[in-house]
């Protein structure tokens, strides 16, 4: 079991390493300075990638449930490799947008395949630690990709593209190790029927789904304003920014796996309101502070809360989803998650311009506090009912 968890975490780490290098560093610089496009085109290309991935998540999840994980995962990674080759060669705006759409579709089955694979490879009591390992791979991969691409761009853009290409190829080579469920297409429910089942499952778990939308919206509010806030409001030096990155994201990476194992012992429902409440308190307090020495421990608490929230929430969702439609519902949930980030990102900039730099922090804090209270009041009953329905469904499912 541990070997399969490591394989899943490694695949996600390699894929996100390549994708982080491509989207966060390589494409913006290549399109702006290498090809000579305006920043509006750069933004449109990144949006096209994100929205095509978002739109394809649900059908990709259905395909994973319908045909097994190996075919969608391998096809997605091949499309990702194809998109890298197109980005290297094409110059016209329409062709670059087509490459972005291909890359977005290619990336859509990766997370549903990996998360459903983790659910199949682990028992409920071990899923928090397993999801901690996967998210550690994600965060490490994204950070390494971002840093490496910046370094390679100083050498040549071709070297950076080669790095991204290599990450995706290595991910593809890992597919046989993480997919032990090879199966041919069967006469299972249609996509429309599966979408309906996903909607029914989400409606039964509406506190979790609604909370996820608000959680990701709160996170999205901070994405466009963190760097300007550090430079324009706090006037932080690169050294202090590095210290905050170590205290926040660095601590999150270190603690995801051990805290995931702790969550497996103490329970997911009890942990979620605490982590969200701690995050809300930190976000509300941060705009009141100006000293870097005061910021570091607050950001560390935020990293601790995030390292608790990620494995707890995802492990709880996997526990409650019907196994035969797990990837479909995960695709639906990830689409909702992407929608929250997109809406939150747009709102964060508007709040800054309208009410000032502290407004996105305070609004995000209020959203997290609202979700924490909602989970505290609604989640125990909702989880109990969903668990009873899932147990009934499993008893009624005939043995193969």
């Amino acid at each position: 079991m541990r070997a399969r968890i490591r394989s899943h975490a490694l695949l996600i780490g390699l894929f996100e390493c390549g994708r982080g290098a491509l989207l966060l560093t390589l494409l913006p610089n290549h399109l702006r300075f290498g090809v000579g496009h305006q920043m509006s085109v750069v933004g449109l290309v990144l949006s096209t990638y994100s929205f095509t991935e978002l739109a394809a998540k649900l059908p990709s999840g259905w395909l994973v449930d319908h045909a097994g994980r190996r075919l969608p995962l391998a096809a997605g990674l091949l499309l990702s490799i194809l998109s890298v080759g197109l980005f290297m060669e094409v110059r016209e705006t329409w062709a670059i947008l087509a490459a972005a759409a291909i890359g977005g579709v290619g990336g859509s089955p990766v997370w549903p395949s990996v998360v459903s694979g983790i659910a199949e490879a682990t028992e409920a009591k071990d899923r928090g630690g397993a999801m901690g390992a996967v998210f550690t791979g994600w965060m490490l991969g994204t950070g390494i990709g971002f840093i490496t691409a910046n370094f390679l761009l100083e050498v040549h853009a071709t070297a950076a593209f080669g790095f991204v290409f290599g990450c995706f190829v290595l991910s593809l080579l890992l597919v046989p190790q993480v997919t032990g469920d090879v199966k041919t297409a069967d006469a299972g429910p249609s996509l429309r029927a599966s979408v309906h089942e996903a909607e029914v499952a989400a409606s039964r778990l509406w506190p979790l789904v609604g909370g996820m939308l608000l959680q990701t919206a709160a996170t999205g509010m901070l994405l466009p304003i963190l760097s300007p806030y550090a430079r324009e409001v706090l006037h932080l030096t690169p050294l202090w920014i590095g210290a905050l990155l170590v205290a926040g994201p660095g601590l999150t990476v270190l603690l995801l796996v051990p805290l995931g194992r702790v969550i497996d012992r103490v329970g997911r429902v009890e942990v979620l309101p605490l982590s969200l409440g701690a995050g809300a308190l930190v976000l509300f307090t941060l705009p009141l502070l100006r000293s870097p020495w005061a910021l570091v421990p607050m950001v560390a608490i935020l990293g601790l809360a995030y390292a608790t929230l990620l494995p707890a929430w995802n492990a709880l969702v996997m526990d409650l989803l019907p196994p035969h439609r797990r990837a479909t519902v995960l695709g639906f949930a990830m689409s909702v998650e992407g929608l929250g980030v997109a809406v939150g990102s747009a709102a964060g900039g508007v709040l800054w311009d309208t009410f000032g730099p502290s407004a996105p922090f305070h609004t995000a804090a209020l959203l997290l506090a609202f979700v924490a209270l909602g989970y505290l009041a609604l989640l125990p009953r909702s989880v109990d009912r969903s668990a009873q329905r899932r147990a009934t469904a499993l008893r009624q499912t005939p043995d193969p």
Side-chain angles (χ1 to χ4, degrees):
M1 182 183 71
R2 289 183 179 178
R4 290 194 67 186
I5 292 172
R6 284 194 295 267
S7 296
H8 284 78
L10 181 58
L11 189 147
I12 278 292
L14 286 168
F15 176 74
E16 292 296 344
C17 185
R19 187 156 71 164
L22 182 68
L23 299 181
L24 299 180
T25 302
L26 180 52
L27 271 187
N29 285 280
H30 172 69
L31 295 178
R32 177 65 174 150
F33 304 112
V35 182
H37 282 297
Q38 300 294 322
M39 283 303 297
S40 58
V41 175
V42 176
L44 184 60
V45 169
L46 296 180
S47 296
T48 299
Y49 185 103
S50 299
F51 279 110
T52 51
E53 183 185 15
L54 186 65
K57 270 283 191 341
L58 181 55
S60 293
W62 171 80
L63 189 60
V64 169
D65 285 330
H66 191 74
R69 293 184 296 125
R70 179 170 294 182
L71 176 62
L73 187 54
L77 290 170
L78 285 171
L79 286 176
S80 297
I81 292 169
L82 174 63
S83 72
V84 175
L86 290 174
F87 280 129
M88 289 180 65
E89 298 298 329
V90 299
R91 295 293 183 268
E92 297 83 1
T93 301
W94 69 266
I96 296 171
L97 291 175
I102 291 171
V105 173
S108 62
V110 175
W111 274 95
S113 297
V114 168
V115 175
S116 62
I118 286 288
E120 293 171 11
T122 57
E123 297 180 3
K125 62 183 180 64
D126 299 316
R127 284 180 186 150
M131 288 308 301
V134 169
F135 282 113
T136 299
W138 162 53
M139 297 187 73
L140 278 176
T142 301
I144 291 171
F146 174 75
I147 294 170
T148 305
N150 274 291
F151 172 76
L152 291 176
L153 276 175
E154 297 295 323
V155 180
H156 198 278
T158 304
F161 274 115
F163 173 75
V164 175
F165 184 84
C167 288
F168 288 162
V169 169
L170 289 175
S171 300
L172 182 62
L173 294 176
L174 283 172
V175 169
Q177 295 186 37
V178 301
T179 54
D181 63 339
V182 182
K183 63 187 216 183
T184 58
D186 53 34
S190 66
L191 176 59
R192 178 176 294 182
S194 294
V195 169
H196 176 69
E197 288 186 25
E199 291 173 345
V200 170
S203 67
R204 291 172 177 170
L205 295 173
W206 69 266
L208 274 176
V209 175
M212 177 181 62
L213 181 63
L214 295 179
Q215 288 165 216
T216 53
T219 303
M221 285 180 186
L222 304 179
L223 291 179
I225 62 100
L226 282 177
S227 181
Y229 188 85
R231 291 197 311 265
E232 299 176 21
V233 178
L234 299 176
H235 306 291
L236 294 178
T237 65
L239 181 61
W240 276 114
I241 292 175
L244 291 175
L245 288 173
V246 171
L251 189 64
T252 300
V253 169
L254 288 175
L255 294 179
L256 272 169
V257 173
L259 284 178
R261 290 171 179 162
V262 171
I263 289 163
D264 286 332
R265 295 186 179 92
V266 302
R268 293 83 145 108
V269 177
E270 295 80 4
V271 166
L272 285 174
L274 291 175
S275 59
L276 287 166
L281 183 61
V282 170
L283 288 180
F284 195 85
T285 306
L286 277 178
L288 308 178
L289 304 174
R290 291 294 182 268
S291 168
W293 293 104
L295 290 170
V296 168
M298 298 301 290
V299 171
I301 295 172
L302 191 61
L304 175 64
Y306 196 58
T308 308
L309 175 66
L310 274 178
W313 195 94
N314 285 275
L316 179 60
V317 169
M318 285 194 296
D319 290 346
L320 300 176
L321 293 184
H324 63 296
R325 290 290 168 262
R326 185 176 278 132
T328 304
V329 183
L330 283 171
F332 177 82
M334 290 173 184
S335 296
V336 173
E337 185 179 24
L339 177 63
V341 172
V343 172
S345 297
V350 172
L351 288 167
W352 176 301
D353 291 336
T354 306
F355 300 105
S358 4
F361 290 94
H362 289 153
T363 306
L366 290 175
L367 285 178
L368 292 184
F370 178 76
V371 175
L373 293 174
Y375 280 174
L376 201 59
L378 300 173
L379 204 53
R381 285 175 292 180
S382 175
V383 167
D384 288 342
R385 288 196 297 269
S386 297
Q388 290 170 5
R389 291 191 190 99
R390 185 175 183 275
T392 301
L394 287 174
R395 284 196 298 269
Q396 293 174 350
T397 302
D399 294 332

